[in-house]
Amino acid sequence: MSWVGSSAVEIADAVRRGKVTAPVVVAEHLDAIAERDGRIGAFRVVLAERALAEARALQEREDLPRLPLAGVPVAIKDNVAVRGEASRNGSAATPDVPADEDHPVVARLRAAGAVVVGITNVPELCLAGFSDSVYGVTRNPWDPGRTPGGSSGGSAAAVAAGMVPLAHGNDGLGSLRIPAACCGLLSIKPGHGLVPPPEHDWYGMSENGPLATTVADLALALAVMAGDMSLATPGESEALGVGSAIDDYPGGLTLSEPLRLRVAVAPMPLPPGLSVDAEFQRAVTGAAEALGAAGHTVVDHTGRMSLRVGAAAVATWFACARGDVEGLDPRGLERRTRSLARMGRLLARFGADGATDRDRWRAHGADQWFGNADVLVTPTLAAVPPPAERWGRRGLPANVRVNLTYAPATAAWNMAGWPAMNVPYGRHSSGTPIGVQLVAAPGGEAQLLALAGQLEAARPWPRHAPLT
């Protein structure tokens, strides 16, 4: 049998038990990448020889039977350090200098037995909800004419196309949840401080996290990235001989025996002037009804965020661009990046970079708007994914308009520093997946994973796009 298409939990269990070797699993996934990525463009670099050598060395490790991700092929987003490779961050202007050491998240994945098979494409400096750059246009496996989202779009496309079971990404204004929603995947942006952040942490808003096709895989990858195996789901944590944060959560929260949570449903949470596709709104309502059927108390959240919060998110986006271009030759930057940074400098000159409103939202605004619920359910996207094009060559108005109309629902929770995730929930009439966003207060990652598990049981989703 081929292990391509298997979950990370299935692969690791088989490698630990000697049913298959890590080199065989990795070779099969490298073959899948060679066969499929020409149509998708998920990878900037495929590390075929290194990955096979890494898999052979892994197979000889004495601790192989205890490794949580034994032999699991993973992809790494091109904005964190991978030892021996340059991190280009989607740009020709960044240094082409190999990293001396892995980023801590990459090191933890490798220590847990994962094998890095490649580095995935991102938009320049990860500044957009698409994944086109000088290195090519990444396409959505569900509809190659559409974007897989961004900025972790290459990672999402690699998982959705079945080229890897797990991928790393990060999320500064929605960059895990947006591509997960575009590609029919699970992703989780952990709360601040749980996982070591990327180098460019965007005022403390950007968090590293995983993309996966099953809740068990997502929880296991998050546990490894956090360096806390108790975050794994009950079955997997027991197999590894550790406790589970889901088991130990106050009230006995498990995926099969849930807490009775108060779930607020907000199909239209955006500031005035922005709207959400009607099918996406119905998916939010449907997900909330499924959680109600599982025993939770579901309440309506009819409030819309203020324009001030929305403006702070946009100003913060410009400010991040301003900071990230420092030290880079502008001649090597794309038109969009130069325009975003120019606007960031202009706003900073007038003291309008969003910092005050961002801090106010994090200090108390998010908690007040969230209300007395345990978990909030919202749309992840507001519209279907836009076309896969070279958006980086276009100017500020086009990029701002498209980003704000299709993906405005995630940034507020980066500014708050709260955990949030995407869960697939149905298909749009366009044929693309629909995702719903679950948000919890700080420390609520286990709650989110448990609710995602209930949605997975209530309405299973296709784990991979049907590539033709």
Side-chain angles (χ1 to χ4, degrees):
M1 66 170 283
S2 172
W3 292 89
V4 173
S6 298
S7 72
V9 166
E10 291 167 340
I11 290 170
D13 180 70
V15 172
R16 287 195 298 263
R17 294 175 184 271
K19 294 181 179 179
V20 68
T21 66
V24 166
V25 171
V26 170
E28 290 177 348
H29 283 82
L30 289 170
D31 287 344
I33 293 170
E35 176 191 352
R36 302 172 187 179
D37 199 41
R39 289 169 282 169
I40 303 301
F43 287 91
R44 181 179 70 81
V45 176
V46 178
L47 305 173
E49 292 185 9
R50 283 190 60 183
L52 288 169
E54 197 172 317
R56 289 191 290 268
L58 174 72
Q59 194 64 38
E60 301 302 318
R61 282 176 57 171
E62 293 183 1
D63 60 349
L64 183 67
R66 300 187 300 277
L67 296 179
L69 292 175
V72 175
V74 300
I76 304 299
K77 184 177 178 179
D78 191 21
N79 71 336
V80 301
V82 174
R83 185 182 65 250
E85 301 295 327
S87 177
R88 300 308 304 268
N89 208 1
S91 180
T94 52
D96 186 14
V97 179
D100 293 330
E101 300 290 340
D102 286 331
H103 183 278
V105 164
V106 179
R108 288 176 178 180
L109 288 167
R110 281 187 162 136
V115 177
V116 176
V117 297
I119 298 171
T120 58
N121 275 314
V122 300
E124 187 168 60
L125 306 187
C126 296
L127 287 171
F130 325 111
S131 289
D132 62 280
S133 74
V134 66
Y135 302 106
V137 176
T138 303
R139 299 182 178 277
N140 192 324
W142 288 93
D143 179 351
R146 296 185 185 274
T147 183
S151 60
S152 305
S155 288
V159 176
M163 292 186 274
V164 288
L166 281 180
H168 155 270
N170 37 55
D171 189 316
L173 290 170
S175 291
L176 277 165
R177 289 157 290 158
I178 292 167
C182 290
C183 294
L185 302 175
L186 292 150
S187 69
I188 184 164
K189 179 195 79 69
H192 188 62
L194 183 66
V195 175
E199 179 183 356
H200 294 277
D201 71 349
W202 284 15
Y203 306 102
M205 298 188 306
S206 186
E207 305 291 348
N208 283 309
L211 295 126
T213 64
T214 72
V215 174
D217 279 7
L218 190 78
L220 179 59
L222 178 65
V224 168
M225 290 182 177
D228 180 2
M229 291 310 302
S230 71
L231 287 165
T233 53
E236 187 61 18
S237 61
E238 289 163 9
L240 296 167
V242 297
S244 167
I246 293 177
D247 280 330
D248 299 337
Y249 199 87
L253 178 63
T254 68
L255 292 176
S256 59
E257 186 178 344
L259 275 174
R260 299 296 184 251
L261 300 176
R262 185 175 175 84
V263 177
V265 53
M268 185 55 244
L270 302 178
L274 295 175
S275 62
V276 174
D277 181 283
E279 293 181 49
F280 291 1
Q281 293 190 51
R282 286 195 292 271
V284 170
T285 302
E289 290 173 350
L291 294 175
H296 303 289
T297 299
V298 176
V299 298
D300 290 332
H301 190 311
T302 58
R304 301 183 67 160
M305 289 186 183
S306 71
L307 285 171
R308 194 165 186 170
V309 172
V314 174
T316 298
W317 178 25
F318 298 153
C320 292
R322 180 194 73 224
D324 280 3
V325 302
E326 289 183 6
L328 300 180
D329 186 341
R331 294 172 297 181
L333 296 173
E334 295 190 317
R335 179 184 176 190
R336 176 183 60 212
T337 303
R338 296 195 304 269
S339 298
L340 289 169
R342 188 181 306 117
M343 182 61 71
R345 288 190 290 269
L346 179 64
L347 293 180
R349 190 178 306 157
F350 292 98
D353 59 359
T356 299
D357 288 332
R358 183 173 67 243
D359 293 344
R360 184 182 292 115
W361 174 253
R362 173 168 284 195
H364 53 79
D367 186 63
Q368 291 175 356
W369 192 87
F370 193 85
N372 63 351
D374 298 302
V375 171
L376 178 69
V377 186
T378 81
T380 305
L381 302 178
V384 297
E389 298 177 358
R390 282 292 278 115
W391 290 97
R393 291 176 175 168
R394 301 175 70 175
L396 190 68
N399 276 276
V400 170
R401 176 182 57 80
V402 174
N403 275 269
L404 291 188
T405 53
Y406 114 90
T410 54
W413 307 109
N414 294 87
M415 294 194 299
W418 289 19
M421 71 179 298
N422 179 75
V423 180
Y425 202 80
R427 295 276 292 281
H428 192 268
S429 57
S430 67
T432 56
I434 297 176
V436 297
Q437 179 177 225
L438 307 182
V439 183
E445 287 84 0
Q447 290 179 325
L448 297 181
L449 291 168
L451 295 189
Q454 291 172 341
L455 293 176
E456 183 179 36
R459 189 169 182 174
W461 47 80
R463 293 182 49 235
H464 300 106
L467 294 179
T468 58

